[in-house]
Amino acid sequence: QVQLVESGGGSVQTGGSLRLSCEFSTWRYRSYCVGWFRSGPGKEREGVATIDSDGTIAYRESVKGRFSISQDKAKKILYLQMDSLKPEDTAMYYCALDKVGYCDGTPDETRDGMDFWGEGIQVTVSS
């Protein structure tokens, strides 16, 4: 079992920045896919960004150029730097881990393959 704990959420105004962190209880898999997902009010959970053990990165189209995903394996932390935030980015953000294989497809397409999820953290962007 792997525990994932998100931190760094909060409330900002349009154009502001936040950095989310996701700490993993263990990071021992040779091949994996990790990522950030979000659920906005009344919306289905959607993929935001993913990165795998090969370092391959994928972003949701609407966050390209504004969000950046990175990983620190030594510290067992996954990050999501979010700049130029918009009200439509308001959501509960979750980190997740697929412990077998690589990220295959868009972030949305990796969602159902994730094995472990964090509890989520709220991000609110006001206009």
Side-chain angles (χ1 to χ4, degrees), residues 22-34:
C22 175
E23 188 168 355
F24 291 69
S25 61
T26 182
W27 198 317
R28 63 174 185 267
Y29 305 104
R30 292 180 62 84
S31 63
Y32 60 82
C33 175
V34 291

Side-chain angles (χ1 to χ4, degrees), residues 1-120:
Q1 194 73 9
V2 181
Q3 282 75 50
L4 290 70
V5 179
E6 300 96 342
S7 62
S11 297
V12 296
Q13 293 188 325
T14 297
S17 297
L18 285 172
R19 188 175 79 158
L20 302 183
S21 298
C22 175
E23 188 168 355
F24 291 69
S25 61
T26 182
W27 198 317
R28 63 174 185 267
Y29 305 104
R30 292 180 62 84
S31 63
Y32 60 82
C33 175
V34 291
W36 291 95
F37 300 78
R38 67 187 183 187
S39 295
K43 295 183 180 180
E44 191 176 62
R45 190 172 299 186
E46 60 187 24
V48 176
T50 55
I51 184 169
D52 65 19
S53 45
D54 270 356
T56 300
I57 291 174
Y59 293 102
R60 182 173 201 81
E61 193 63 36
S62 62
V63 308
K64 284 181 179 178
R66 301 189 297 120
F67 290 13
S68 177
I69 189 171
S70 61
Q71 56 185 339
D72 186 328
K73 296 179 188 179
K75 294 183 178 178
K76 296 181 289 184
I77 298 178
L78 178 70
Y79 299 102
L80 183 68
Q81 177 67 41
M82 305 186 294
D83 299 319
S84 302
L85 281 161
K86 304 176 181 180
E88 51 263 44
D89 295 318
T90 294
M92 186 73 79
Y93 282 72
Y94 303 86
C95 58
L97 164 70
D98 175 355
K99 61 182 173 62
V100 179
Y102 301 91
C103 296
D104 186 13
T106 66
D108 276 346
E109 291 170 333
T110 65
R111 181 192 63 196
D112 292 344
M114 293 295 168
D115 299 299
F116 303 104
W117 292 84
E119 293 292 315

